[in-house]
């Protein structure tokens, strides 16, 4: 028996281990996204309660777009009907969308387990496809190496799972004092078009400068751009390996089986208020305390430190989806003191976006245009750092594909947003106050 146990136990152990290693990503087979017609404050309150009572409920866009798991469809839909809420099925099968997202990736770009094959050529980067975190990290290094006089790489810190938070400083050394502008992508893991857009735009600034595009020469002589493509690297990588629709960080929550914090509820400005949850299982979990997430702590420490010697004029946190350009406040329905100027800048930005592919981006204060969110990045930027123009931008689309935007929409998304970003920076030059 002893001999047998010596054989069986390791064999079982190895079998379990190999099961874990070859584990398939979560399937969203038959999952729907429904669009709810919300008519009153009462409806919103009802949906908020529904969300709080079922921590796992995944509102892709609160309160209208809700992902409904196959086995919960009957329960959820009857709850909505009993409140008198009407809804349409917007996406019929989320898994089908996921299977169809790689419209531009080479067909042979995946190994037998379905994982992406890493590109090994340091000089080549395909901006029109989605990339694994390691490829993006390599892109930061390669870009700094390719433009040594314009771009510098640096590490802001390490994520919870110890991935490097590698960023770029892009600008021309004029010998004069320069303004700072920060933009990042990928704070929410599943919003893949956001890191893609951040990389494309940054490369375009560098190329346009090299080609002497006057507008960009002025911008890079006035601003130092600080660029972090993926603010939540652990979550981002997890969306490739395990759950395509993961949103939060990957930190362990003491006393709970649910992992992760919503990094965009974890900032230390009005932390924990409206639109944030105290339930670790919720997708909008605020975290155990402000800046509990190492990624948020390190980035805010960096900006605060750099802000002592350089005035930051612009801060943009790129998300998807909904095509929105949102200013503070998020935590209250009151408008900030600088709202009029912010509004003018958002107008200029959204007009520039529209001029490229005729896409409409709606703009205004986050709490009224979208929903209230306490502890979000832009409120920290404006409220704590005093960056006069601090925004959340939600990239494409308006819900047809939602977070699972096909690769053939990466390029147009980047092109229009680049026009918007340049216009916003130029606005700062034209309106130096505050
Ligand atoms: O909820 C968020 O953090 C952002 N939306 S997302 O779908 N990308 O998760 C929006 C934050 C915008 N701010 C306000 N609504 N105030
Ligand atoms: Zn987001």
């Amino acid at each position: 028996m002893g001999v047998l146990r010596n054989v069986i136990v390791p064999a079982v152990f190895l079998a379990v281990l190999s099961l874990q290693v070859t584990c398939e990503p979560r399937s969203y087979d038959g999952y729907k996204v429904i669009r709810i017609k919300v008519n009153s404050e009462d409806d919103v309150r009802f949906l908020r309660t529904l969300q709080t009572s079922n921590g796992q409920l995944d509102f892709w866009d609160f309160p209208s777009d809700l992902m409904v798991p196959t086995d919960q469809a009957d329960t959820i839909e009857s709850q909505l009907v009993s409140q008198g809420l009407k809804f349409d099925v917007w996406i019929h099968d989320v898994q089908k969308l996921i299977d169809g997202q790689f419209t531009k990736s080479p067909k042979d770009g995946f190994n037998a387990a379905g994982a992406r094959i890493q590109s090994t050529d340091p000089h080549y980067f395909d901006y029109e496809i989605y990339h694994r975190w390691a490829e993006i990290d390599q892109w930061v290094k390669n870009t700094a190496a390719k433009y040594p006089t314009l771009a510098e790489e640096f590490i802001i810190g390490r994520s919870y799972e110890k991935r490097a938070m590698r960023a770029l400083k892009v600008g021309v050394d004029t010998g004069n004092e320069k303004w700072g502008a920060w933009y990042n992508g990928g704070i929410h893991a599943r919003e893949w078009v956001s890191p893609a857009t951040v990389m494309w735009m940054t490369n375009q600034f560098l190329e346009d400068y090299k080609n002497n595009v006057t507008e960009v020469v002025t911008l890079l002589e006035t601003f130092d751009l600080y660029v972090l493509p993926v603010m939540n690297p652990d979550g981002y990588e997890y969306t490739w390996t395990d759950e395509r629709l993961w949103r939060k960080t990957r930190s362990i929550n003491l006393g709970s089986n649910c992992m992760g914090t919503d990094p965009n509820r974890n900032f230390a400005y009005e932390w924990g208020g409206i639109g944030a949850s105290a339930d670790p299982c919720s997708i909008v979990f605020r975290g155990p305390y402000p800046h509990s997430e190492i990624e948020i702590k390190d980035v805010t420490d960096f900006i605060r430190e750099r802000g002592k010697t350089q005035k930051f004029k612009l801060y943009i946190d790129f998300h998807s989806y909904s095509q929105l350009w949102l200013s503070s406040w998020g935590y209250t329905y009151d408008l900030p003191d600088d709202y009029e100027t912010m509004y003018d800048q958002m107008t200029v930005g959204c007009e520039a976006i529209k001029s490229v592919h005729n896409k409409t981006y709606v703009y205004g204060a986050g709490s009224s245009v979208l929903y209230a969110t306490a502890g979000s990045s832009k409120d920290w930027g404006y409220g704590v750092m005093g960056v006069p123009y601090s925004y959340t931008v939600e990239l494409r689309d308006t819900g047809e594909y939602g977070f699972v935007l096909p690769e053939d929409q990466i390029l147009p998304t980047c092109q229009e947003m680049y026009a918007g970003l340049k216009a916003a920076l130029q606005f700062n030059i034209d309106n130096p106050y505050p």
Side-chain angles (χ1 to χ4, degrees), residues 415-430:
Q415 289 166 329
E416 64 201 15
M417 192 59 232
Y418 183 52
L421 178 56
K422 283 185 297 178
L425 289 164
Q426 187 60 47
F427 179 92
N428 281 3
I429 298 176
D430 300 339

Side-chain angles (χ1 to χ4, degrees), residues 14 21 31 33 60 95 105 138 153 157 159 171 181 188 195 208 235 238 242 273 287 338 352 358 379 382 419 429 432:
L14 278 177
V21 170
Y31 280 42
V33 177
W60 277 23
Q95 188 58 45
S105 282
Q138 190 61 47
E153 63 155 294
S159 69
H188 284 145
D208 282 352
Y238 190 74
D242 289 73
D338 299 305
N358 204 27
D379 281 2
Y382 181 66
I429 298 176

